[in-house]
Amino acid sequence: DQQVKQNSPSLSVQEGRISILNCDYTNSMFDYFLWYKKYPAEGPTFLISISSIKDKNEDGRFTVFLNKSAKHLSLHIVPSQPGDSAVYFCAASAGVGGTSYGKLTFGQGTILTVHP
Amino acid sequence: DSGVTQTPKHLITATGQRVTLRCSPRSGDLSVYWYQQSLDQGLQFLIQYYNGEERAKGNILERFSAQQFPDLHSELNLSSLELGDSALYFCASSVSRGGYQETQYFGPGTRLLVL
């Protein structure tokens, strides 16, 4: 049972344009969501997070939107740069009231390619 | 650089053998997490230790075990290795018990190849 899904395996974007990566979840106990970027042969690098009490969080070129009623979150990268080309994972945790406090549940990842 | 270190970076071994993967968390972090990334399963949570004690358990096989030492570094022991154990093993750390609004920072991983 995949509780966090990234339905687009890949996304190709032109440099300077917006990249939108999507993520859906099914577990209503999730209350904290994170995006990680991963280059080959490296560990995931934390990008940005959002708690369930918010619907938007911004950090520079990166903005995450959370729609709790739809159980959907998205990561917007504006403007996209060639160095953003990587695999992007969304992840979720159920901290409050859960028994797996620290467990992150990951989506399968989306490969973003930004063309110059 | 996340501040989380893992050794070794690569490990090649044979079926039936036992290996130990090591992780040092970021300075000041009390929780250590282990994840496995295989081609068909994605990133899967294995186990969490907080300040020396097991805190949460995921899909960790009985052949696998972990511990966290008083200096907070952690080791993941994999025994009776099978071909299917070949994967990337990541360690992550966070400042406290984990969960709400607590970000996990990942190490560079150990690539295990079982032949």
Side-chain angles (χ1 to χ4, degrees):
Chain A
D1 173 28
Q2 207 173 343
Q3 298 184 43
V4 178
K5 292 182 185 178
Q6 293 175 255
N7 291 316
S8 299
S10 63
L11 175 67
S12 184
V13 171
Q14 206 67 28
E15 181 179 6
R17 307 294 290 268
I18 184 171
S19 296
I20 300 177
L21 298 109
N22 294 302
C23 180
D24 296 297
Y25 63 96
T26 56
N27 188 342
S28 57
M29 295 293 289
F30 288 147
D31 56 13
Y32 188 52
F33 304 89
L34 309 91
W35 284 94
Y36 288 86
K37 177 167 85 169
K38 187 180 181 304
Y39 294 116
E42 294 185 13
T45 301
F46 169 70
L47 274 177
I48 192 169
S49 62
I50 189 166
S51 73
S52 57
I53 61 171
K54 295 185 174 182
D55 55 17
K56 178 182 173 181
N57 189 25
E58 270 184 274
D59 184 0
R61 297 186 298 114
F62 302 93
T63 303
V64 56
F65 296 91
L66 175 62
N67 182 334
K68 278 175 54 180
S69 60
K71 292 191 174 67
H72 176 84
L73 64 153
S74 61
L75 174 68
H76 292 211
I77 306 174
V78 185
S80 302
Q81 300 172 352
D84 296 330
S85 298
V87 181
Y88 288 78
F89 291 96
C90 73
S93 69
V96 179
T99 56
S100 297
Y101 300 94
K103 172 184 175 180
L104 285 180
T105 301
F106 282 85
Q108 292 295 98
T110 297
I111 302 170
L112 174 65
T113 304
V114 181
H115 299 283
Chain B
D1 184 359
S2 66
V4 178
T5 60
Q6 288 187 248
T7 56
K9 196 165 176 62
H10 302 278
L11 202 47
I12 302 175
T13 188
T15 54
Q17 294 298 305
R18 171 189 166 96
V19 297
T20 298
L21 313 183
R22 183 187 167 105
C23 167
S24 292
R26 294 186 320 158
S27 177
D29 282 2
L30 298 177
S31 274
V32 169
Y33 311 79
W34 288 97
Y35 291 85
Q36 179 192 56
Q37 185 182 25
S38 55
L39 278 173
D40 57 345
Q41 292 290 327
L43 270 156
Q44 300 280 315
F45 170 74
L46 295 178
I47 197 164
Q48 175 197 1
Y49 275 81
Y50 166 68
N51 207 18
E53 296 198 1
E54 184 182 303
R55 178 77 171 162
K57 215 166 185 175
N59 299 322
I60 187 166
L61 299 171
E62 284 193 13
R63 301 183 285 108
F64 295 2
S65 65
Q67 54 184 324
Q68 186 180 28
F69 295 86
D71 67 352
L72 301 177
H73 91 270
S74 177
E75 292 181 356
L76 179 67
N77 300 296
L78 316 176
S79 61
S80 303
L81 284 167
E82 302 175 0
L83 296 177
D85 298 327
S86 296
L88 272 166
Y89 291 85
F90 290 106
C91 166
S93 71
S94 71
V95 65
S96 186
R97 293 177 178 83
Y100 189 61
Q101 293 193 339
E102 195 160 311
T103 298
Q104 294 179 29
Y105 296 89
F106 283 76
T110 293
R111 182 175 294 276
L112 173 67
L113 181 59
V114 182
L115 300 175

